[in-house]
Amino acid sequence: MVPCTSIRLRANSGSGYEEVVIRNGGEGDRVEELSCNEVIGGRGLVLSEEARRVIAAERVPLVSLADVVGGGGGRDGSSAHSRIDFQRIVKLVERILPFSLLLLVVLIRQHLQGFFVTISVSAVMFKSNEIVKKQTALKGDQKVSILLGVSFSFALYVTCIYWWYRNDDILLPLALFPPKATPPFWHAIFIILVNDILVRQATMAFKCLLLLYYKNGRCHNFRRQAQMLTLVEYTLLLYRAFLPTPVWYRFFFNKDFGSLFSSLITGLYITFKLTSAVEKVQCFIRALKALSRKEVHYGVYATTEQVSAAGDLCAICQEKMHGPILLCCKHMFCEECVSEWFEREWTCPLCRILVKHADLRTFGDGSTSLFFQLF
């Protein structure tokens, strides 16, 4: 037998895919159609083991045109379609993104002062919230000078901002009166955001005065302080819920839209606003009731006999109990200590049993809600 000198493969239009092998047969070149398996198997050929392994390693599976067009490749076809869709999305984003960035730059340039003021007063509000929380956490160890200084700084800051925009229809919505003229959309957003932020800033100044008032309190006075801070915060949330209403009323009730259309849109907005404000009213009422009640919702005040039987020592502060509170699990703690504990978690400090807490979220740590009330 003469070793094979050359091999050429091609697809056959018959049944299945075949390879055509061209080899030197000694008497002359002749062409014989053999299957791939026959070629690898070496029928009619003299191939070494190494040559067979090379042919087997380089063998590439063939796919019909119908499978490629019709997606008959099964999982591979679906993954290919997914890649194509993802590539289209990426190309679409690449086309839109530069133009979108240009529009954003132009928008910021047109309202540069509004963007700067909104971002700056928001940053000051976030920092002020942390300051008030730290002062509240000090309990009775705050310094009078610091509390007065913080309160005065907050009030002066709010006054300066409103004085700067005194002619910009920004003060009327504070009294729930609509602006004199119909504001453009972005100016309406600016008025709402600035009022929403500065009202919270002014409330933080008032909270500092409350901390100053309760500074020398002991025992139940700290619980009273937490209840008062919670009531102030829910009062603020209720007021903020209605604060954007005059601005959007003036914006929607625009005669340029037509009398019927503007009346319909304004009526729908007021309806949605009243519906969403129901929850705020309910929370305010519950906070007011919690302040007027003398009992605590997570336990009862312990009697002298119960204190004597349990030992007149608080397991949290390791000191003599002040205003002892008996929980449902029969463990007893100082009212101040257990109230501070429940600001972190609603479990007994000793047995870790779940203690039923009030449905009302407490803001006794002096915090202020940071979400923006746009609508």
Side-chain angles (χ1 to χ4, degrees), residues 174-303:
L174 290 176
L176 300 182
F177 290 112
K180 296 179 181 179
T182 302
F185 176 76
W186 290 110
H187 188 59
I189 294 291
F190 173 76
I191 293 175
I192 293 171
L193 284 178
V194 170
N195 279 333
D196 185 58
I197 294 171
L198 293 183
V199 162
R200 281 180 281 182
Q201 193 76 42
T203 305
M204 292 179 194
F206 179 71
K207 288 181 179 180
C208 289
L209 296 179
L210 278 179
L211 294 178
L212 185 62
Y213 175 77
Y214 286 103
K215 180 182 181 303
N216 297 323
R218 290 185 58 83
C219 301
H220 65 279
N221 284 343
F222 285 122
R223 181 174 70 90
R224 191 82 170 178
Q225 170 186 298
Q227 291 176 339
M228 182 61 71
L229 290 174
T230 301
L231 177 62
V232 169
E233 183 62 26
Y234 278 108
T235 305
L236 175 64
L237 288 174
L238 179 61
Y239 173 68
R240 288 176 54 210
F242 291 100
L243 191 58
T245 305
V247 181
W248 290 121
Y249 171 81
R250 178 64 70 191
F251 179 81
F252 289 131
F253 199 71
N254 190 348
K255 296 300 179 61
D256 295 337
F257 298 152
S259 300
L260 180 61
F261 181 79
S262 59
S263 301
L264 179 62
I265 294 299
T266 305
L268 289 175
Y269 170 72
I270 294 177
T271 302
F272 294 152
K273 172 56 66 175
L274 292 177
T275 303
S276 62
V278 171
E279 182 182 358
K280 301 291 191 304
V281 174
Q282 292 174 347
C283 292
F284 170 75
I285 294 175
R286 287 201 296 267
L288 190 60
K289 289 182 178 179
L291 183 65
S292 62
R293 290 196 301 261
K294 294 183 179 181
E295 69 271 10
V296 289
H297 57 268
Y298 47 78
V300 295
Y301 287 106
T303 61

Side-chain angles (χ1 to χ4, degrees), residues 75-363:
R75 184 181 303 174
D76 295 336
S78 61
S79 61
H81 282 294
S82 300
R83 288 194 296 269
I84 293 174
D85 293 340
F86 179 74
Q87 290 174 356
R88 289 178 179 175
I89 294 175
V90 171
K91 290 181 179 180
L92 182 62
V93 171
E94 289 178 351
R95 293 176 182 176
I96 296 177
L97 185 60
F99 184 70
S100 302
L101 292 177
L102 289 177
L103 289 180
L104 180 61
V105 170
V106 172
L107 179 64
I108 294 176
R109 178 62 185 87
Q110 290 177 345
H111 306 278
L112 184 60
Q113 183 180 359
F115 273 97
F116 176 76
V117 172
T118 304
I119 293 175
S120 60
V121 295
S122 299
V124 172
M125 180 191 67
F126 292 147
K127 184 61 178 179
S128 302
N129 184 50
E130 295 298 325
I131 293 175
V132 176
K133 288 173 64 176
K134 289 181 180 179
Q135 291 298 318
T136 306
L138 292 176
K139 297 297 182 182
D141 297 331
Q142 306 102 329
K143 294 183 178 179
V144 176
S145 58
I146 294 180
L147 289 176
L148 287 176
V150 170
S151 179
F152 177 77
S153 300
F154 290 173
L156 181 63
Y157 168 74
V158 173
T159 303
C160 291
I161 297 293
Y162 277 123
W163 180 83
W164 182 266
Y165 288 100
R166 62 189 183 278
N167 298 324
D168 206 19
D169 272 351
I170 201 173
L171 292 174
L172 285 177
L174 290 176
L176 300 182
F177 290 112
K180 296 179 181 179
T182 302
F185 176 76
W186 290 110
H187 188 59
I189 294 291
F190 173 76
I191 293 175
I192 293 171
L193 284 178
V194 170
N195 279 333
D196 185 58
I197 294 171
L198 293 183
V199 162
R200 281 180 281 182
Q201 193 76 42
T203 305
M204 292 179 194
F206 179 71
K207 288 181 179 180
C208 289
L209 296 179
L210 278 179
L211 294 178
L212 185 62
Y213 175 77
Y214 286 103
K215 180 182 181 303
N216 297 323
R218 290 185 58 83
C219 301
H220 65 279
N221 284 343
F222 285 122
R223 181 174 70 90
R224 191 82 170 178
Q225 170 186 298
Q227 291 176 339
M228 182 61 71
L229 290 174
T230 301
L231 177 62
V232 169
E233 183 62 26
Y234 278 108
T235 305
L236 175 64
L237 288 174
L238 179 61
Y239 173 68
R240 288 176 54 210
F242 291 100
L243 191 58
T245 305
V247 181
W248 290 121
Y249 171 81
R250 178 64 70 191
F251 179 81
F252 289 131
F253 199 71
N254 190 348
K255 296 300 179 61
D256 295 337
F257 298 152
S259 300
L260 180 61
F261 181 79
S262 59
S263 301
L264 179 62
I265 294 299
T266 305
L268 289 175
Y269 170 72
I270 294 177
T271 302
F272 294 152
K273 172 56 66 175
L274 292 177
T275 303
S276 62
V278 171
E279 182 182 358
K280 301 291 191 304
V281 174
Q282 292 174 347
C283 292
F284 170 75
I285 294 175
R286 287 201 296 267
L288 190 60
K289 289 182 178 179
L291 183 65
S292 62
R293 290 196 301 261
K294 294 183 179 181
E295 69 271 10
V296 289
H297 57 268
Y298 47 78
V300 295
Y301 287 106
T303 61
T304 305
E305 294 77 10
Q306 290 173 331
V307 173
S308 300
D312 193 13
L313 188 65
C314 176
I316 298 178
C317 63
Q318 296 297 318
E319 295 181 358
K320 185 178 180 181
M321 290 191 186
H322 298 281
I325 297 295
L326 185 65
L327 302 181
C328 58
C329 57
K330 305 305 179 183
H331 289 130
M332 195 179 305
F333 308 95
C334 293
E335 181 180 6
E336 176 186 348
C337 298
V338 75
S339 298
E340 184 177 358
W341 174 272
F342 286 149
E343 290 178 2
R344 296 189 296 268
E345 56 180 299
W346 287 96
T347 58
C348 174
L350 291 179
C351 64
R352 299 296 180 177
I353 190 175
L354 183 63
V355 178
K356 182 180 179 181
H357 57 86
D359 297 332
L360 191 69
R361 177 191 170 187
T362 177
F363 291 92

